[in-house]
């Protein structure tokens, strides 16, 4: 009767399958992802994803910048736990140079990285609560995250995108205020965390919503190259800190929590337990913090203190050489992985001896495990798809780089 | 046609004499419903602003509207890439007048540190922006300052601004079509 | 029994695939082997299925562009990991610009799907047998491969920023 064309497929005409657009702007897509879902009533038959809505060309940008200017770039990968990204990069360059890092620096790094891991898991878990409808459990952990932000600020001055540490160590030692704040954090955080935990972990409604939502088996997860809490929730205890220890992680005693089914509830509980294990690590590292220098002796990369630059000829020359990019950077290729908030965060660096890397590729865990999302939500109602998306903790910055 | 003329407000016992413009502007300013279009790191700082330490709901922004149809303020926090630009423009067009735009962070204001082939160098290339908040990411206090500036703009906006020729001209520059119904 | 070391892996690969192993080295402790492009799929399949070597995890796939190497302009680098033996391997294949194809390993590792799409998106390397090889991170209508060295980082079509003030070459 009308001349206009209607874009309706035969299956929709048959009355059963509808196509729904989930994203890219949707309250529960944390970051910008688009999923086109084919649903039969509420049950999802298949889905197709589009990513790349926040592609910022990190890898090309890294080919332009000198080595210590890439640290602020790595911040913006997984911005919820940016110190881990920063230190992973610094360790990669230190591996390329082949320098020995003092024990004190390694312990300091462990403390900061575990704080970042706590911050990341707190966001993920509180947001799973929000998507299940529990807004109170969002506000409580955020006041604790403010305390972690204050700890970062003591060292580097920034809250979120920290650019913390330098190639070779830290920019300054832990200040006395940092020691006080860390001590009070270690006293008050466990209490506040158990309060947050009590709101959700054995909550009848939360358990009914999340148990069985978005499961994946261990074999499928390994085939998809999962890593991190998502893989551990399926029962596989792969942790880069244990498999390929870096920065003195072998000195600390901690367990790797694993789940059973790989569903949303298991991922939530694995992250909660990892927060407790991270607290254990921080306590051990802080109690045994060795004396020593807060930086390695690395004149080719670590800028000399400004007072020396103005008074000492050698420091002035090194300052000039570092900024102008005339220091000797070895050529070679190196791959270094750290356990990020979401899994194995790897840096594949090819250096040709020049001022900037020749090729820097980030092995981003979010990008790799998001591929499995359609398989995880197949046959689930849409509300479970929403919960699954927030529980696998996809961070847009890391996914699209 | 932008500013309300300075008419003295008269406060009596149990009543207040003012202009309709002022009364409506006051009501609008104190209950702005934002649409958080949060893409990246600035989105996390925005979430921290909404949290209890910095508490954006003191400013009347308790209710986040994720549907553009019910939102007044579009808060763009984070990098907008060229792939996302049509989506942002569509969301802006779907909002009903009067609407304001707050661009949070360096990436939304000008592309930030990402001067690359895939990043839109500032959202003011596609939609008109009212307040820019610089920072990478801006501290929650800065975001609140941006919000307070929006409130200042709202309090002093005339009810006729959206029908004026200047505004039409502005939207034509951005190639945004407006449909004011039967208004002139 | 003793876990295999890098040397054992190299010896086993050379015994099985002799001619396909072109070069090998061990930068920073990670065994790096160059394999000819047509044998790459077979090598990875053999490594995955062998019970002693048991390379069960695909860590990463990366592409690299060397515009100055004639005939070997593009490299595809596979990083693999054997959990049982805690050994990491790096397998490389060099491709020439004229012949930019490589068999896909999505039938061995599902995780390779998006990794190969990303390499295609950035460099234009085609993976034959991939179920759905199209752009993933960039816009679909983009007509060039941005990570190749001949393309500049900034948007080539912009006219508002004067490169002289940014200290960049004005081409």
């Amino acid at each position: 009767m009308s001349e206009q064309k209607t874009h309706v497929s035969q299956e929709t005409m048959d009355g059963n399958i509808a196509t729904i657009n989930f994203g890219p702007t949707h309250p529960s897509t944390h970051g910008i992802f688009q999923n086109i879902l084919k649903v039969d009533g509420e049950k999802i038959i298949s889905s197709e994803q589009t990513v790349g809505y926040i592609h910022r060309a990190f890898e090309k940008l890294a080919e332009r910048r000198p080595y210590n200017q890439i640290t602020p770039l790595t911040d913006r990968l997984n911005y919820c736990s940016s110190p881990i990204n920063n230190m992973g990069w610094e360790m990669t360059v230190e591996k390329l140079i082949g320098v020995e890092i003092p024990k004190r620096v390694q312990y300091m790094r462990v403390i900061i990285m575990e704080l970042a891991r706590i911050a990341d898991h707190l966001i993920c878990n509180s947001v799973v609560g929000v998507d299940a409808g529990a807004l109170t459990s969002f506000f409580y952990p955020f006041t604790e995250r403010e305390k972690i932000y204050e700890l970062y600020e003591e060292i580097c001055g920034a809250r979120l995108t920290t650019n913390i540490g330098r190639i070779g160590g830290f920019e300054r030692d832990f200040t006395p205020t940092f020691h006080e704040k860390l001590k009070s954090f270690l006293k008050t955080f466990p209490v506040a965390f158990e309060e947050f935990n009590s709101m959700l972990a054995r909550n009848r409604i939360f358990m009914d919503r999340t148990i069985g939502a978005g499961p994946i088996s261990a074999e499928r997860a390994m085939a998809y190259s999962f890593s991190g809490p998502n893989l551990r929730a399926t029962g596989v205890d792969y942790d880069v800190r244990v498999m390929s220890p870096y920065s003195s992680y072998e000195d600390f005693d901690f367990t790797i929590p694993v789940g059973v089914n790989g569903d949303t509830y298991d991922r939530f509980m694995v992250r909660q337990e990892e927060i407790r294990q991270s607290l254990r690590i921080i306590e051990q590292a802080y109690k045994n913090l060795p004396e020593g220098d807060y930086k390695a002796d690395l004149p080719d990369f670590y800028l000399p203190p400004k007072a020396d630059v103005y008074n000492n000829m050698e420091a002035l020359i090194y300052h000039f050489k570092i900024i102008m990019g005339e220091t000797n950077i070895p050529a070679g290729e190196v791959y270094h992985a750290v356990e990020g908030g979401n899994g194995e965060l790897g840096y594949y660096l090819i250096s040709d001896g020049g001022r900037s890397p020749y090729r820097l590729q980030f092995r981003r865990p979010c990008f790799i495990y998001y591929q499995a999302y359609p398989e995880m939500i197949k046959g689930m109602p849409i509300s479970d798809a929403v919960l699954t998306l927030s529980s696998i903790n996809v961070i847009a910055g890391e996914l699209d780089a | 046609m932008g500013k309300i003329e300075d008419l003295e407000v008269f406060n009596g016992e149990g009543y207040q004499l003012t202009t309709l413009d002022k009364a409506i502007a006051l009501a609008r300013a104190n209950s702005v419903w934002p649409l958080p279009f949060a893409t990246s790191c600035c989105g996390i700082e925005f979430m921290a602003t909404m949290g209890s330490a910095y508490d954006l709901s003191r400013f009347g922004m308790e209710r986040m509207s994720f549907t553009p149809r019910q939102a007044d303020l579009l808060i763009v926090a984070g990098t907008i890439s060229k792939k996302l630009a049509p989506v942002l423009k569509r969301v802006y067009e779907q909002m009903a007048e009067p609407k304001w735009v707050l661009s949070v962070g360096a990436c939304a204001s000008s592309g930030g540190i990402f001067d690359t082939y895939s990043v839109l160098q500032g959202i003011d290339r596609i939609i008109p922006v009212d307040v820019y908040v610089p920072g990478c990411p801006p501290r929650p206090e800065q975001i609140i300052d941006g919000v307070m500036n929006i409130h200042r703009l709202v309090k002093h906006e005339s009810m006729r601004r959206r029908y004026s020729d200047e505004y039409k001209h502005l939207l034509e520059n951005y190639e945004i079509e407006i449909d004011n119904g039967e208004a002139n | 029994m003793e876990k295999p070391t890098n040397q054992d892996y190299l010896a086993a690969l050379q015994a099985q695939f002799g001619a396909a192993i072109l070069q090998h080295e061990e930068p920073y402790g990670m065994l790096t082997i160059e394999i000819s492009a047509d044998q790459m799929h077979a090598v990875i399949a053999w490594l995955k299925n062998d019970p002693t070597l048991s390379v069960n995890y695909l860590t990463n796939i990366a592409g690299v562009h060397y515009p100055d190497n004639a005939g070997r302009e593009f490299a595809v680098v596979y990083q693999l990991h054997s959990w049982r033996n805690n050994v990491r391997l790096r397998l490389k294949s060099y491709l020439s610009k004229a012949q930019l194809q490589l068999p896909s390993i999505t039938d061995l590792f599902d995780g390779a799907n998006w990794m190969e799409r990303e390499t295609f998106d950035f460099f234009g390397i085609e993976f034959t047998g991939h179920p759905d090889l199209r752009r993933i991170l960039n816009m679909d209508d983009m007509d060039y491969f941005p990570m190749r060295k001949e393309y500049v980082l900034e948007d080539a079509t912009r006219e508002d920023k004067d490169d002289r003030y940014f200290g960049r070459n004005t081409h």
Side-chain angles (χ1 to χ4, degrees), chain C residues 51-62:
Chain C
T52 5
L53 302 179
S54 100
V55 173
N56 62 314
Y57 192 71
L58 172 70
T59 304
N60 199 13
I61 300 180

Side-chain angles (χ1 to χ4, degrees), chain C residues 2-74:
Chain C
E2 280 271 324
K3 287 203 180 139
T5 63
N6 282 355
Q7 293 308 108
D8 298 324
Y9 273 83
L10 183 60
L13 276 168
Q14 276 171 333
Q16 179 78 12
F17 288 100
I21 314 290
L22 301 172
Q23 272 182 48
H24 65 91
E25 50 178 355
E26 250 186 79
Y28 302 99
M30 186 185 274
L31 181 61
T32 306
I33 305 176
E34 185 195 329
I35 298 184
S36 60
D38 47 347
Q39 288 287 317
M40 181 59 91
H41 184 276
V43 168
I44 297 182
W46 183 77
L47 281 170
K48 182 176 181 216
N49 296 326
D50 186 281
T52 5
L53 302 179
S54 100
V55 173
N56 62 314
Y57 192 71
L58 172 70
T59 304
N60 199 13
I61 300 180
V64 196
H65 184 209
Y66 298 99
D68 300 329
N69 286 0
R72 286 153 63 90
E73 283 95 0
F74 290 89

Side-chain angles (χ1 to χ4, degrees), chain A residues 61 64-65, chain B residues 112-116 121, chain C residues 152-155 158 160-171:
Chain A
L61 202 45
R64 180 66 75 83
R65 294 170 152 227
Chain B
I113 60 174
F114 301 108
D115 189 6
T116 70
Q121 302 293 300
Chain C
V152 73
L153 167 70
E154 296 84 13
D155 183 7
R158 73 216 181 126
D160 62 324
K161 294 191 185 173
D162 193 341
D163 274 337
R164 292 173 296 171
Y165 302 133
F166 285 83
R168 298 184 195 121
N169 302 329
T170 48
H171 292 299

Side-chain angles (χ1 to χ4, degrees), chain A residues 74-138:
Chain A
T74 57
D75 271 336
R76 284 136 178 100
L77 280 173
N78 182 350
Y79 34 79
C80 298
S81 58
S82 46
I84 300 183
N85 310 340
N86 292 148
M87 291 178 183
W89 167 245
E90 285 152 18
M91 287 190 252
T92 310
V93 179
E94 285 156 11
K95 198 169 171 179
L96 178 74
I97 306 169
V99 67
E100 177 77 35
I101 301 294
K103 214 57 171 156
R104 184 183 174 86
V105 171
Q106 294 185 10
Y107 275 53
M108 285 164 79
R109 279 185 172 161
V110 164
I111 294 177
I112 302 293
M113 283 197 280
E114 294 305 315
L115 280 173
R117 195 184 315 282
I118 294 178
D120 196 351
H121 288 337
L122 276 178
I123 287 196
C124 178
N125 279 344
S126 50
V127 161
V128 173
V130 168
D131 283 343
L135 202 53
T136 311
S137 64
F138 169 81

Side-chain angles (χ1 to χ4, degrees), chain B residues 163 168 178-184:
Chain B
Y163 301 107
K168 278 203 195 87
I178 48 173
D179 176 19
N180 273 334
E182 72 274 355
N184 38 320

Side-chain angles (χ1 to χ4, degrees), chain A residues 230-252:
Chain A
N230 295 337
L231 179 62
R232 294 196 274 277
T234 66
V236 181
D237 61 345
Y238 172 63
D239 189 327
V240 181
R241 295 174 289 177
V242 174
M243 182 71 104
S244 332
Y246 53 91
S247 190
S248 299
Y249 265 106
E250 60 269 15
D251 294 352
F252 303 113

Side-chain angles (χ1 to χ4, degrees), chain A residues 187-392:
Chain A
K187 251 203 295 272
T188 58
F189 181 72
V191 177
F193 175 67
E194 293 306 326
E195 186 183 29
F196 163 59
N197 194 41
S198 67
M199 277 189 255
L200 288 177
R202 303 298 298 171
N203 183 323
R204 185 77 249 158
I205 302 175
F206 186 74
M207 286 169 76
D208 276 344
R209 286 283 323 255
T210 54
I211 293 182
I216 187 166
S217 69
E219 289 79 29
R220 294 304 293 153
M222 286 197 285
Y224 273 110
S225 293
F226 268 44
S227 50
N230 295 337
L231 179 62
R232 294 196 274 277
T234 66
V236 181
D237 61 345
Y238 172 63
D239 189 327
V240 181
R241 295 174 289 177
V242 174
M243 182 71 104
S244 332
Y246 53 91
S247 190
S248 299
Y249 265 106
E250 60 269 15
D251 294 352
F252 303 113
D253 174 36
F254 60 100
T255 58
I256 306 177
V258 290
V260 177
N261 298 322
D263 59 13
T264 303
Y265 188 67
D266 280 353
R267 287 190 279 270
F268 175 85
M269 292 306 280
V270 162
R271 288 198 168 92
Q272 296 284 84
E273 187 58 38
E274 280 193 10
I275 294 180
R276 293 192 193 100
Q277 296 301 316
S278 289
L279 266 177
R280 257 178 90 182
I281 298 177
I282 298 178
E283 275 162 12
Q284 288 169 46
Y286 187 57
K287 204 162 63 150
N288 303 328
L289 191 63
E291 294 301 317
D293 207 359
Y294 57 91
K295 57 178 163 47
D297 183 28
L298 203 59
D300 274 344
F301 279 86
Y302 192 94
L303 283 173
K306 263 301 199 275
D308 287 351
V309 170
Y310 289 123
N311 292 315
N312 185 340
M313 187 54 147
E314 203 182 288
L316 174 67
I317 294 176
Y318 268 119
H319 185 105
F320 182 81
K321 281 171 82 168
I322 293 172
I323 301 288
M324 288 311 205
E326 287 165 20
T327 48
N328 299 326
I329 301 174
E333 61 184 302
V334 65
Y335 175 78
H336 183 72
V338 293
E339 177 74 17
N342 285 331
E344 180 178 338
L345 175 65
Y347 296 85
Y348 176 52
L349 170 64
I350 299 183
S351 156
D352 61 349
R355 187 176 179 238
S356 321
Y358 186 79
R359 171 83 168 109
L360 173 59
Q361 209 248 3
F362 301 102
R363 191 260 183 205
R364 313 181 298 279
C366 279
F367 180 72
I368 294 172
Y369 63 59
Y370 189 55
Q371 298 175 67
Y373 183 63
E375 191 174 309
M376 288 162 90
I377 59 171
K378 201 168 176 147
M380 302 273 133
I382 297 181
S383 43
D384 279 358
V386 164
L387 270 180
T388 310
L389 183 59
S390 60
S391 78
I392 58 177

